[in-house]
Every structure is written in C-alpha cells, then in structure tokens.
Amino acid sequence: MAARQGTRQRILEVAEELFQHRGYGGFSYQQIAERLGVRNAAVHYHFPSKTDLVLALLRRYRSSFIWWQDQMRRRGETPERCLEAFFALERRYMEEGKVCPLGVVGVESEGVPDVVRAEAAALADDLLRWLTAVLTQGGKQGALRIMGAPEACALALMGSLQAGLQLARLKGPEVFYILLEQQRGQLGLMTRQVAAGA
Amino acid sequence: MAARQGTRQRILEVAEELFQHRGYGGFSYQQIAERLGVRNAAVHYHFPSKTDLVLALLRRYRSSFIWWQDQMRRRGETPERCLEAFFALERRYMEEGKVCPLGVVGVESEGVPDVVRAEAAALADDLLRWLTAVLTQGGKQGALRIMGAPEACALALMGSLQAGLQLARLKGPEVFYILLEQQRGQLGLMTRQVAAGA
DNA sequence: GTCTATAGAGGGATAGAC
DNA sequence: GTCTATCCCTCTATAGAC
C-alpha cells in the first residue's frame, strides 16, 4: 500500500510515526530503513543528518497545519466547528497512540539540536495563534465561553490535550477523553451523545 | 557540597537531575559517573541495570510525595494552602529547568521498560488521588470553585502544569506562569500581587 | 566499593561501486 | 537512488584486580 510516492515522502511518513511514538532520541535510521525495505544509507541520501530529517518533519507539521487552517477559513467554518475539527485531530493522535510533537521536543529539549527546538517553537506559535483567533471570535459571537485572556485559554486547551496524550499512555485512553470533555465543558460546548461518535 | 551521603544517594540525585532534563533515553551512566567523579562501573555496582536505576528513581519520587502529603495532613493545612504548596513544587521544577517525570515517561513510553511505565502510572495515581481529595475538600468548604468532577479538575490541573513545563522550554517561562495563573483563576484563588514573589 | 579493561550492541554518518 | 562495506563513537553491562 502507498508504494508510488517517492522515497523521500515515505521516509517522512515513517519518521513521523516513529517520532511521535518513540521520541527524538528513540528512533533511528535503521528502523526507518527496515520499515521501508531499504538500507540505512538510502535514508541518509535523502536526509544527510538526523537534524535535517527532524527539521523537515517539523516543517511538514507546520505546512500541513497552515494548509488545514486555510481550509477551515475558506470554508467559512464557525468557531465551534473549527474547535471540533481540532479536537478530532487530537483524538486521532490518541487513537494512533501518538503524542504531540511539541511534547516530544519539550521533554527531550536539551538533547535536541537548537534548530529543531526553534522549529518546534514556531509550530507552537502557529497553533496558538490560530487557536487564539478562533477563541476570540467565538467569544465575541457568544458561541464560546471564554474566561480570561483568549491567549491563556488557547494555551490551556493545547496544554491539556498535549498532557492528555501523554498521560493516556500511562493510565489509558479515558484520561484523554476526560480532559477533552473538560475543555469542551469550559468553553460551553455541549458534550456529544454518549456512544454517538465513538 | 553534599559530599557525605553515600554514593547510592548521590547517584539518585544526579540521575533525577539528568532524567528530568534530558529524558530517559537522553542520559547515560557515563554522565552520572562523570558528575560524581567516579567510574561507570561504580554506578553499575549500585544499580546493575538502567531499569533498576530509573525504577529506584520513580519509587523515590513516590515516597517523597507520600511523605510530603503526610506533612501537609499532619499540619492540618487548608486546601488552599495545600494547592499553593503544590504549585510551589511545580514552580521550582520550572525554575530548575525540569519537566514532570510523568511527561518524560509518557513521551518516551514505548522505549521504556514495562516496570518503569507501571511505576510512573502509580506515581500518577498518587498525585491524582491527593489532588482530587484536596479539590473535593476545598469545594465542600466553599474555599475552591470546582466545576465538574473533582477527578477531572485534578487531571486538568496536573496536565496543565505538566504541559506548561514542557512548553516553557520552547517558548520561555511566561507560558508556565500563564497556565499556572489560569488554573488558579479557575479555582477561584486570588492571583498574587505582581512582582511580589518573583 | 571502586577501579581498569573490555565485550557486544547499536547509533550516526560516509565512500565508492553499481 | 540504492547498495555494500565500514568507520567511529557512545551506550549498557560484566569480569576481575585492588
């Protein structure tokens, strides 16, 4: 499956999987090569150093997210629907056993090249800027209940889900869902019918 | 400083420092040995395998916390003061550039021995149980504003600070303080005078 | 309890053939 | 663009002297 799309892209896909499952220091060129059925050196051809690889990975997260938020905007989605779409992204990470890339770089920060940390910080900016805008708009329209500064709410929202993904690995998926519903509740969003969308 | 306390204890102290700064996979016996001025093999004498070492570390977190919460109880501290003491612990991590051990194990979960993950889960239980009890009591007394289940509030509180410590490494200390104040605000606790305690 | 020395595995990275 | 082969490093862990 998915065989004809250039090794470079396939490397990035496998790397993303490994990165969010095992962390920066926890995956190797060997593991990528094995999963793709090529050799170590082939991976180094496309990404000479691990820094190059992870940098490309983080840039990809950023551009994917930029594209995604543009889609939301172009479709004229309401703040509620924007948030629900965002929750769906996070829930998907959860179901795939992944954690947020920001958490990975945050935890391993001191063992990661400066450029990588900087790119992760830029990704955090992108996410927070968008979330803040959505919350601000939703607050003005009265569709969302915003307590305090929207920037702080955005931070709390992102942080809650980031920690939820991590804690789910220790305590099971429920803790993620509890945190998700808690955030929804705070924003005045109705909880969905139980078992309607599982 | 702090020279006469048995190598075993000094190893655990250095290991804790490294663990919360660099992650599970990010520190080595070499680094511990260098900082203590001994050899690699001396560390292995006290902790034969890395699993032994990190397990001892997590058990130490747990027993420290148990002791700490017993202190709080014995002193008959109010829920507010209990929470403020907890915030102080987290703020200290922040100032020392550390992240929460639960975040470390959560992120690197798949590259960590099962027993280590289990011990981290037990530590999470201890923390959540205590926080839940404090929030419940504070809610009944009317000293804290609890929205929804105390268990969910405890989770949100812990998660917020956990993520705050990680994000502070990417975006600077302010994000941690913003999250902290946000949590305080939610619980109906007054924010301290600006610049009073920096 | 700490040392020297070393085994053995795996990591990142490169050279040069094809 | 991928391969084989290899270098060099760091890591965990152990054996045996002191």
Side-chain angles (χ1 to χ4, degrees):
Chain A
M1 46 285 195
R4 200 75 46 70
Q5 42 177 324
T7 304
R8 190 187 156 92
Q9 289 307 313
R10 293 165 63 214
I11 289 171
L12 284 173
E13 264 151 41
V14 173
E16 176 175 314
E17 176 83 10
L18 289 168
F19 182 72
Q20 285 178 271
H21 269 90
R22 311 182 49 86
Y24 176 86
F27 80 92
S28 68
Y29 275 52
Q30 279 303 338
Q31 293 167 341
I32 295 172
E34 276 166 19
R35 297 204 188 188
L36 292 179
V38 297
R39 298 297 187 169
N40 181 348
V43 185
H44 275 287
Y45 170 80
H46 293 280
F47 301 97
S49 77
K50 197 172 183 179
T51 302
D52 297 322
L53 172 55
V54 176
L55 207 51
L57 200 52
L58 288 169
R59 293 212 177 103
R60 208 177 73 131
Y61 284 118
R62 289 188 71 191
S63 59
S64 294
F65 179 69
I66 299 289
W67 177 87
W68 181 86
Q69 74 179 35
D70 267 11
Q71 285 292 104
M72 292 287 122
R73 193 170 43 76
R74 263 195 276 274
R75 289 183 192 158
E77 299 285 10
T78 64
E80 298 104 301
R81 286 177 58 91
C82 282
L83 276 189
E84 287 300 340
F86 180 73
F87 292 157
L89 290 181
E90 297 279 340
R91 193 187 301 119
R92 181 152 183 199
Y93 277 164
M94 159 70 215
E95 286 159 0
E96 294 172 348
K98 292 178 175 173
V99 290
C100 173
L102 298 180
V104 172
V105 180
V107 165
E108 301 186 77
S109 179
E110 304 195 15
V112 142
D114 287 350
V115 280
V116 167
R117 189 165 43 244
E119 193 67 24
L123 174 58
D125 281 335
D126 291 344
L127 286 163
L128 288 170
R129 197 158 28 229
W130 179 78
L131 271 177
T132 300
V134 168
L135 294 177
T136 302
Q137 197 195 345
K140 277 180 186 155
Q141 296 177 358
L144 300 175
R145 186 197 323 135
I146 308 296
M147 321 223 265
E151 289 81 4
C153 285
L155 204 49
L157 186 52
M158 197 177 83
S160 247
L161 300 179
Q162 178 178 317
L165 291 173
Q166 294 166 17
L167 291 171
R169 288 189 169 170
L170 302 180
K171 299 281 303 158
E174 311 77 34
V175 303
F176 173 80
Y177 294 114
I178 290 173
L179 282 168
L180 179 55
E181 291 307 321
Q182 226 246 4
Q183 288 299 313
R184 251 208 275 261
Q186 297 239 327
L187 293 164
L189 294 172
M190 287 301 97
T191 297
R192 293 177 165 176
Q193 300 270 350
V194 178
Chain B
M1 45 285 197
R4 199 74 47 69
Q5 42 178 323
T7 304
R8 192 187 155 92
Q9 289 308 310
R10 293 166 62 215
I11 289 171
L12 284 174
E13 265 151 40
V14 172
E16 176 174 313
E17 175 83 10
L18 289 168
F19 181 71
Q20 284 178 271
H21 269 90
R22 312 184 48 86
Y24 177 84
F27 81 92
S28 69
Y29 275 52
Q30 278 303 337
Q31 293 167 339
I32 295 172
E34 278 166 18
R35 297 204 188 188
L36 292 179
V38 297
R39 296 298 186 167
N40 182 348
V43 184
H44 275 288
Y45 169 80
H46 294 279
F47 301 97
S49 78
K50 198 171 181 178
T51 302
D52 297 322
L53 173 54
V54 177
L55 208 51
L57 200 54
L58 288 169
R59 292 212 176 101
R60 207 176 74 130
Y61 285 118
R62 289 188 69 190
S63 59
S64 294
F65 179 69
I66 299 289
W67 177 87
W68 181 86
Q69 76 179 35
D70 267 13
Q71 285 292 104
M72 292 287 121
R73 193 170 45 75
R74 262 195 276 274
R75 290 183 192 158
E77 300 285 11
T78 64
E80 299 104 300
R81 286 177 60 89
C82 282
L83 276 189
E84 287 300 340
F86 180 73
F87 292 156
L89 290 181
E90 296 279 340
R91 191 186 304 119
R92 181 152 183 201
Y93 276 164
M94 160 70 216
E95 286 159 1
E96 294 172 347
K98 292 178 175 174
V99 290
C100 173
L102 298 180
V104 172
V105 180
V107 165
E108 300 185 78
S109 178
E110 304 196 13
V112 143
D114 287 351
V115 280
V116 167
R117 190 166 42 246
E119 194 67 23
L123 174 58
D125 281 334
D126 291 345
L127 286 164
L128 288 171
R129 198 160 24 233
W130 178 78
L131 271 177
T132 300
V134 168
L135 294 178
T136 302
Q137 197 195 343
K140 277 182 187 154
Q141 297 178 357
L144 300 175
R145 187 196 322 136
I146 307 297
M147 321 225 264
E151 288 80 4
C153 285
L155 204 48
L157 186 52
M158 196 176 82
S160 246
L161 300 179
Q162 178 177 317
L165 291 173
Q166 294 166 18
L167 291 171
R169 288 188 170 171
L170 302 180
K171 299 280 303 157
E174 311 77 33
V175 304
F176 174 80
Y177 294 115
I178 291 173
L179 283 167
L180 179 56
E181 291 307 322
Q182 228 245 4
Q183 288 300 313
R184 251 208 275 259
Q186 296 239 327
L187 293 164
L189 294 172
M190 286 303 98
T191 296
R192 293 176 165 178
Q193 300 271 350
V194 177

